[in-house]
């Protein structure tokens, strides 16, 4: 059996080797097919999504998923299927019982019902609930109605909310909505409501003290929108604790800047403290939100000069210096000011600087996750930085897992950016630092080898990957036993812990995915990312064996990677065929909704 699976694996890896050697084909472009998504395929996806929602754990999860499906069906012009979906929701809208996760799914269900146009059903669901849950549900009903432009309905919901802070949140949202209206009479109504809300909040604070600032907090935004920044600042100073004022006004200025109301944002800016490092970075962030880039750069350079200022030379405070350096480095990298960022790093490069180079290379290869400015590949900067990044691999520690992951991550960033020649630099260091060792169980290394087209090396590692399944680790049962006591007010006795441990052992399967399963999963993921879906499907067969329940997790992750590859290539029917094989409900659900949003081809 081992020999047969090895032949399958090496046959699948073979085409990747050719890509790595020839390097003439675009590594990350799967062969594009003419897009085709028929009405029949869409119907099949609707059926699969409906059954997936109905099989979800817990009625609130089922109801939320069905309502989300109804909303998507409306968006794509399949309103004919909406009544049938909503009919499945109604039996689920009953009273919340003790122990049900109402805070996670039940409250979200109210918003989903309003968004689906089922306001009457939402109110009926709220009225069924126990008194101790009523204020939460009524608050959610009111806020959902505000977002749905049903301000009269929101007022009715607010009038029945018992908690002052939740009531104030609804009234503040209504006031903002009215003050943003084009009609002058609505704006006057909003201003009147904001003044009334201000009076109620002041009275509440005067009676109970600033530490009870629940109603005052939502009021600030409404006052700023309806009565102007000066009134909001005065109200915050009078009714919020000192520690909350700065944070609240800061967040409010950012909110208005993101919504394009720059004048409001500028007037709400707290006074700049020029000798405060964190203050300078916050102000620079606000300037970037407003696209005032030159002024933002001036502030970041002033902050750079303050890294050492006011920080004690005592080693116990060295963490503060490093914190400032990390914060400023991240800030500059996200603005693509790479040379300014590199100037912050002391020479020579060392192992402690790995996170800096990882962050810079990720951003410069346009793989960063946070976008303050549009993504932009900068191959020249990466070429200059790579030698220093490689110097962070300390002599004598090359085989440590932390360095293997570091080198593999850089390799992957560059491959995903289609910088194959640059990717060879960290990859060659990776191979050179482990001449006599195999790291088949290291997922990031295995993925990098497959993506680099190193078929011979990867095939050799398959022999050393270990077992497909292993005995369940002892720590799994212990972790579950500890989680079973979550909420205990006192530590469990030895006897109680042993009893829970016995229950946990029985609950867990005897086996867990082994290193070979992890290796296969990572290899399939890499093949799929590089567009080699046929090769990925060949390897998938090695995870579609018994015990299937034990191999469920790596198999589902591999299937998701293949579905993503088909989505990228435009093969929607193949993506659907893979999606229905995924038996992890949430992953299958997201792929099915993604498919349903595709336009039907003519």
């Amino acid at each position: 059996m081992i020999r047969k699976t090895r032949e399958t694996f090496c046959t699948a890896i073979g085409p990747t080797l050719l890509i790595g050697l020839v390097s003439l084909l675009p590594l990350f472009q799967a062969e594009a097919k003419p897009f085709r998504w028929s009405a029949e395929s869409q119907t099949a996806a609707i059926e699969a999504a409906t059954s997936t929602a109905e099989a979800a754990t817990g009625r609130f999860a089922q109801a939320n998923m069905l309502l989300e499906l109804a909303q998507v069906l409306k968006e794509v012009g399949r309103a004919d299927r909406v009544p049938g979906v909503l009919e499945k929701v109604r039996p689920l809208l009953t009273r919340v019982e003790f122990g049900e996760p109402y805070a996670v799914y039940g409250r979200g269900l109210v918003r989903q019902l309003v968004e689906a146009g089922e306001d009457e059903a939402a109110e009926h669901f709220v009225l069924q609930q126990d008194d101790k849950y009523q204020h939460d549900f009524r608050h959610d009903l009111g806020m959902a109605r505000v977002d749905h432009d049903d301000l009269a309905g929101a007022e009715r919901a607010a009038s029945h909310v018992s908690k002052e802070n939740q009531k104030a949140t609804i009234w503040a949202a209504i006031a903002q909505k009215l003050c943003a209206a084009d009609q002058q009479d609505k704006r006057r109504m909003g201003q009147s409501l904001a003044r009334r809300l201000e009076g109620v909040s002041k009275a509440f604070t005067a009676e109970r003290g600033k530490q009870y600032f629940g109603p005052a907090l939502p009021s600030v935004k409404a006052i700023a929108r309806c009565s102007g920044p000066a009134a909001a600042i005065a109200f915050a100073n009078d009714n919020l604790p000192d520690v909350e004022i700065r944070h609240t006004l800061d967040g409010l200025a950012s909110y208005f800047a993101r919504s394009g109301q720059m004048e409001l944002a500028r007037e709400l800016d707290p006074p700049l403290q020029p000798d405060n490092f964190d203050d300078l970075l916050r102000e620079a962030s606000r300037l970037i939100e407003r696209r005032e880039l030159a002024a933002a750069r001036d502030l970041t350079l002033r902050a750079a000069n303050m890294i050492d200022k006011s920080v004690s030379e005592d080693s116990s405070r060295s963490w503060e210096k490093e914190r400032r350096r990390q914060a400023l480095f991240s800030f500059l990298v996200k603005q693509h000011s790479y040379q300014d960022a590199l100037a912050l790093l002391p020479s020579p490069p060392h192992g402690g600087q790995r996170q800096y180079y990882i962050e810079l290379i990720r951003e410069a290869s346009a793989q960063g996750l946070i976008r303050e400015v549009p993504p932009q590949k900068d191959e020249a900067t990466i070429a200059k930085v790579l030698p220093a990044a490689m110097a962070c691999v300390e002599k004598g520690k090359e085989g440590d897992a932390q360095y293997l992951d570091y080198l593999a991550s850089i390799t992957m960033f560059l491959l995903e950016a289609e910088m194959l020649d640059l990717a060879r630099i960290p990859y060659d260091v990776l191979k050179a630092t482990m001449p006599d060792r195999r790291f088949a169980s290291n997922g990031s290394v295995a993925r990098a080898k497959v993506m680099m087209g190193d078929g011979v090396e990867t095939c050799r590692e398959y022999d050393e990957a270990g077992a497909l399944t292993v005995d369940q680790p002892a720590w799994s049962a212990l972790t579950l036993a500890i989680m079973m006591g979550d909420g205990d007010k006192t530590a469990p006795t030895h006897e109680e812990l042993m009893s829970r441990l016995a229950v946990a052992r029985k609950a867990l399967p005897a086996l867990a995915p082994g290193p070979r399963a992890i290796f296969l999963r990572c290899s399939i993921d890499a093949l799929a990312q590089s567009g080699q879906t046929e090769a990925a499907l060949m390897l998938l067969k090695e995870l579609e064996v018994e015990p299937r329940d034990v191999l469920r997790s790596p198999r589902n992750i591999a299937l998701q990677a293949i579905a993503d590859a088909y989505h990228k290539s435009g093969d929607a029917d193949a993506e659907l065929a893979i999606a229905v094989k995924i038996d992890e409900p949430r992953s299958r659900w997201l792929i099915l909704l993604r498919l349903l949003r595709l336009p039907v081809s003519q």
Side-chain angles (χ1 to χ4, degrees):
M1 180 65 182
I2 295 263
R3 177 172 295 187
K4 182 180 178 182
T5 57
R6 182 185 189 279
E7 289 173 357
T8 302
F9 179 85
C10 295
T11 301
I13 290 295
T16 321
L17 175 61
L18 294 176
I19 294 176
L21 292 176
V22 179
S23 69
L24 294 175
L25 301 175
L27 186 60
F28 285 86
Q29 292 180 2
E31 182 181 351
K33 295 185 178 181
F35 175 76
R36 184 178 180 277
W37 181 240
S38 65
E40 292 77 14
S41 297
Q42 186 187 61
T43 299
I46 293 172
E47 297 295 341
T50 303
S51 61
T52 299
E54 290 181 297
T57 303
R59 62 189 178 101
F60 290 153
Q62 293 170 19
N64 273 283
M65 291 170 76
L66 287 167
L67 286 167
E68 188 176 8
L69 174 59
Q71 196 66 25
V72 171
L73 291 174
K74 286 182 181 178
E75 293 171 8
V76 299
R78 290 302 302 267
D80 58 304
R81 297 297 298 263
V82 171
V85 172
L86 293 178
E87 195 60 38
K88 296 177 183 294
V89 175
R90 291 188 180 96
L92 304 172
L93 303 178
T94 55
R95 184 186 180 93
V96 174
E97 301 299 335
F98 178 76
E100 287 190 298
Y102 88 99
V104 179
Y105 293 113
R107 293 179 62 184
L109 187 54
V110 174
R111 176 172 292 278
Q112 288 276 55
L113 284 165
V114 173
E115 289 176 354
E118 296 289 312
D119 188 273
E120 187 176 333
E123 185 156 19
H124 180 69
F125 176 61
V126 169
L127 291 174
Q128 292 182 75
Q129 306 313 317
D130 189 270
D131 288 344
K132 64 182 177 181
Y133 299 139
Q134 280 281 338
H135 51 267
D136 289 336
F137 281 103
R138 288 187 180 279
H139 166 265
D140 296 337
L141 179 62
M143 293 302 291
R145 284 173 170 172
V146 171
D147 291 341
H148 210 60
D149 291 326
D150 179 9
L151 302 188
E155 286 185 25
R156 289 196 303 274
S159 65
H160 291 94
V161 173
S162 56
K163 288 187 176 180
E164 293 296 332
N165 59 321
Q166 291 183 329
K167 183 180 292 189
T169 302
I170 300 174
W171 285 117
I174 295 171
Q176 289 178 77
K177 202 86 169 181
L178 289 169
C179 288
D182 293 331
Q183 297 91 338
Q184 190 173 357
D185 58 333
K186 286 188 176 182
R187 291 201 299 274
R188 280 198 293 265
M189 289 171 59
Q191 290 163 358
S192 174
L193 180 55
R195 286 193 295 271
R196 193 170 70 187
L197 183 61
E198 181 179 356
V200 170
S201 298
K202 283 181 176 179
F204 187 88
T205 303
E207 180 183 346
R208 302 199 182 185
K210 286 187 178 182
Q211 66 271 29
Y212 297 100
F213 57 89
L217 207 54
S219 303
V220 177
K221 189 183 290 186
I223 294 167
R225 188 69 189 81
C226 297
S227 304
I233 293 170
F235 176 84
N237 288 331
D238 291 342
N239 296 276
L240 294 179
D242 292 343
V243 294
E244 286 291 327
I245 294 172
R246 179 60 183 257
H247 173 73
T248 301
L249 295 178
D250 207 15
L252 196 54
S254 294
Y255 166 79
F256 284 121
R258 288 193 301 272
S259 60
Q261 301 173 71
M262 296 304 179
E263 289 304 318
L264 270 176
R266 287 191 184 92
E267 291 184 54
L268 283 164
D269 281 345
L272 178 65
Q273 299 177 32
D275 295 329
N276 185 296
F277 176 85
D278 294 306
D279 225 36
L280 290 172
L281 278 195
R282 275 195 296 267
E283 180 63 20
S285 294
R286 283 195 290 269
L287 291 171
I288 287 168
E289 285 178 348
R290 301 164 198 172
R291 292 293 178 262
E292 299 176 24
L293 302 182
R297 176 178 167 76
D298 289 342
L299 287 184
T300 55
L301 294 178
R302 283 169 59 185
N305 293 328
M306 293 183 63
I307 285 183
D308 297 325
K309 189 176 180 180
S310 300
V311 177
S312 171
E313 294 300 324
D314 188 335
S315 60
S316 64
R317 294 295 309 279
S318 62
W319 61 268
E320 172 62 16
K321 187 183 296 185
E322 191 60 23
R323 183 195 72 81
R324 291 183 176 188
R325 181 177 286 111
Q326 288 176 359
L328 187 54
F329 185 91
S330 295
F331 185 86
L332 290 167
V333 162
K334 287 167 187 172
Q335 314 317 317
H336 302 167
S337 299
Y338 301 124
Q339 296 308 314
D340 291 334
L342 289 169
L344 298 174
L345 302 183
S347 296
H350 55 80
Q353 295 178 353
R354 293 192 312 277
Q355 78 274 18
Y356 292 110
Y357 287 102
I358 278 279
E359 185 173 2
L360 190 150
I361 291 170
R362 180 174 58 193
E363 190 66 36
S365 59
Q367 305 302 317
L369 301 178
I370 301 174
R371 294 293 179 209
E372 292 183 2
V373 294
Q376 182 179 343
K377 294 180 184 178
D378 191 339
E379 197 164 346
T381 292
I382 294 176
K384 291 178 182 177
V385 164
L386 274 178
M390 296 304 98
C392 288
V393 180
E394 296 182 19
K395 300 297 182 185
K397 297 183 179 179
E398 294 91 342
D400 289 1
Q402 58 182 339
Y403 291 113
L404 295 176
D405 286 334
Y406 171 68
L407 293 167
S409 296
I410 293 176
T411 302
M412 291 299 297
F413 289 145
L414 298 178
L415 283 172
E416 289 166 9
E418 301 181 20
M419 300 178 186
L420 183 57
D421 290 338
L422 290 177
R424 292 188 188 282
I425 296 172
Y427 184 68
D428 287 345
V429 176
L430 176 67
K431 288 183 67 176
T433 56
M434 50 180 201
D436 300 321
R437 299 177 65 181
R438 296 288 173 262
F439 292 89
S441 61
N442 186 307
S444 58
V445 174
R447 188 179 292 110
K449 288 189 173 185
V450 175
M451 298 292 267
M452 282 300 297
D454 199 342
V456 173
E457 178 71 13
T458 310
C459 184
R460 187 184 301 124
E461 287 200 2
Y462 182 79
D463 292 329
E464 303 180 17
L468 193 64
T469 60
V470 295
D471 290 337
Q472 189 71 244
W475 58 261
S476 299
L478 182 59
T479 302
L480 181 57
I482 293 170
M483 291 173 63
M484 288 165 63
D486 187 34
D488 287 354
K489 294 183 179 179
T490 58
T493 64
H494 177 76
E495 291 75 18
E496 288 173 334
L497 188 56
M498 288 298 101
S499 175
R500 290 174 184 173
L501 194 56
V503 173
R505 283 174 178 151
K506 288 182 180 178
L508 290 170
L511 299 175
R516 189 184 298 273
I518 306 304
F519 182 66
L520 284 166
R521 184 203 76 195
C522 294
S523 299
I524 292 168
D525 179 57
L527 287 167
Q529 283 191 50
S530 61
Q532 306 303 306
T533 48
E534 294 304 316
L537 288 169
M538 288 177 66
L539 287 194
L540 181 65
K541 294 175 183 176
E542 309 307 326
L543 293 175
E544 293 181 322
V545 297
E546 296 297 339
R548 288 184 62 84
D549 59 329
V550 175
L551 299 173
R552 179 174 180 261
S553 176
R555 184 175 61 251
N556 282 330
I557 294 172
L559 283 165
Q560 187 172 348
I562 296 171
D564 290 343
Y566 278 130
H567 185 79
K568 187 177 180 180
S569 69
D571 195 342
D573 286 322
E575 183 183 358
L576 176 59
I578 293 295
V580 296
K581 291 183 178 181
I582 299 173
D583 54 12
E584 196 285 301
R586 190 62 189 170
S587 299
R588 181 170 71 246
W589 175 252
L590 293 175
I591 293 172
L592 289 170
L593 289 190
R594 181 172 72 187
L595 283 166
L596 284 175
R597 288 189 170 97
L598 293 175
V600 173
S601 53
Q602 301 300 323

